[in-house]
Amino acid sequence: MSSLAEEIRHRIGDLSPAERKVARVLLAGYPSAGFETVATLAERAGVSAPTVIRFVNRLGYKGFPDFQAALREELDERSASPLALYSTRGYGTTPPLVQEDDGSGTARAGSGQDVFSAEVARTLRELPPHDVEAAVALLSHPKRRIVLVGGRFTHLLAQYLGLHLMQLRGEVVILPDRDVERTAVLAGLGRQDVLVVFDYRRYEPDKIVITEMARQCGSKIVLFTDAWLSPVTHLADVVLPSRVAEPSPYDSMVPTLATVETVLAGVLAQLGEQGRVHLEHSENVAREAGIQPVDPKPEAPESAGK
């Protein structure tokens, strides 16, 4: 399911100049702007009320109440917790995405394969090419520091991306958990920094606060989010949405991991020899410091005469 904001972003090139004004007002104040009256929205966009109606008609809605009903339904999806999904989708009884199994696990694995394959393919197909290229450019820029922050579960993805970037380039920081260290990093944000945020539904309030702070300091923002789009979206320079359909009550991070890997592949290509040299130096330091075991020397082959 695509969010209305995502749909508007994709359709904005097909709109008339007046309708584009309505779209920009909605995106700038999403989702709350969608619950204003037609007259208020028209006034804010500097267009007529009929233009607002034509805009929602072009999106496929019969009228403004129909558009607002779809927005309410989307907000219910955005705020859905694992516990809510457990109840509404029947998990714990007969999972809807799992067929009857003979005990071997074959049907269960096949169901997961179907879900994950479809969602990864759709996510990668729908990624905005411009945003992918912009993310790669920012993350591979040698003069920019990268600061990464994730959420309750997505901090694992922030760490995954950060640890890979650390092997390929310098100035990469994963926002620490301890208050003093966290404050020090946030206090040092500036115009040369790139803040990478992972924020998915049940969006966490501290992500919008941290992003606003970074924005005020002139930092660039790269956002990894879901199809409903985090509140951080309107502050971000780059938005990389992923699907989260799952064979359980928990949102799947598999499509997001595929997005991260796609961006990493782009960074590797962009850094080229510079990235290889940095990786080689990192591994040499690790061996010398005893952090990484020395590769064993291959044994000499026995002579054929023995």
Side-chain angles (χ1 to χ4, degrees):
M1 174 181 176
S2 300
S3 72
L4 288 174
E6 188 178 5
E7 185 178 353
I8 293 169
R9 283 160 62 98
H10 285 159
R11 298 281 299 276
I12 201 165
D14 301 328
L15 303 175
S16 70
E19 290 166 349
R20 279 198 290 270
K21 291 180 181 180
V22 179
R24 293 190 183 102
V25 168
L26 282 170
L27 291 174
Y30 193 82
S32 58
F35 293 108
E36 295 177 345
T37 65
V38 171
T40 300
L41 194 56
E43 183 179 356
R44 289 183 57 195
V47 300
S48 66
T51 298
V52 176
I53 302 303
R54 284 195 299 272
F55 166 78
V56 297
N57 290 158
R58 192 181 289 270
L59 292 179
Y61 299 100
K62 296 178 181 178
F64 204 65
D66 191 27
F67 170 80
Q68 290 184 322
L71 186 55
R72 289 190 189 93
E73 183 179 346
E74 177 184 310
L75 291 182
D76 288 340
E77 287 285 331
R78 286 182 66 175
S79 60
S81 67
L83 183 59
L85 294 175
Y86 225 109
S87 303
T88 59
R89 298 188 184 177
Y91 294 114
T93 53
T94 301
L97 296 178
V98 179
Q99 306 166 2
E100 289 296 326
D101 205 333
D102 60 3
S104 66
T106 302
R108 189 176 300 272
S111 176
Q113 179 183 359
D114 291 343
V115 174
F116 295 137
S117 297
E119 293 303 282
V120 168
R122 190 175 179 189
T123 291
L124 297 181
R125 185 170 61 249
E126 294 177 349
L127 278 177
H130 175 269
D131 285 67
V132 174
E133 292 303 316
V136 168
L138 287 170
L139 297 181
S140 57
H141 196 294
K143 294 185 178 179
R144 290 190 178 277
R145 182 178 66 153
I146 311 300
V147 179
L148 302 101
V149 59
R152 184 179 180 187
F153 288 100
T154 56
H155 73 280
L156 298 171
L157 292 169
Q159 290 176 333
Y160 183 83
L161 175 57
L163 292 174
H164 279 78
L165 291 175
M166 287 177 188
Q167 292 191 310
L168 300 172
R169 50 156 298 157
E171 293 295 308
V172 178
V173 178
I174 299 170
L175 196 64
D177 291 328
R178 288 187 290 195
D179 291 345
V180 173
E181 294 172 310
R182 195 178 186 89
T183 301
V185 173
L186 294 176
L189 288 173
R191 298 181 63 83
Q192 292 300 314
D193 291 322
V194 178
L195 178 69
V196 180
V197 182
F198 287 80
D199 196 29
Y200 290 71
R201 67 175 170 182
R202 298 185 81 194
Y203 312 102
E204 297 170 328
D206 69 316
K207 301 307 174 295
I208 192 75
V209 174
I210 290 171
T211 305
E212 286 174 342
M213 292 174 60
R215 241 345 200 183
Q216 290 171 4
C217 296
S219 304
K220 294 292 186 180
I221 313 296
V222 174
L223 172 65
F224 289 82
T225 188
D226 51 35
W228 297 280
L229 302 180
S230 156
V232 171
T233 298
H234 76 281
L235 296 169
D237 298 282
V238 176
V239 179
L240 299 170
S242 301
R243 300 285 159 180
V244 294
E246 70 299 311
S248 79
Y250 292 94
D251 285 348
S252 171
M253 293 290 101
V254 172
T256 300
L257 183 58
T259 301
V260 169
E261 294 277 9
T262 299
V263 171
L264 275 171
V267 171
L268 268 166
Q270 185 72 25
L271 290 174
E273 179 65 9
Q274 180 184 355
R276 189 200 65 79
V277 169
H278 195 281
L279 176 58
E280 183 179 36
H281 177 65
S282 297
E283 294 198 348
N284 288 337
V285 169
R287 281 193 291 269
E288 291 173 7
I291 299 171
Q292 179 175 310
V294 178
D295 294 333
K297 293 182 180 179
E299 295 183 5
E302 294 185 2
S303 65
K306 286 190 176 181

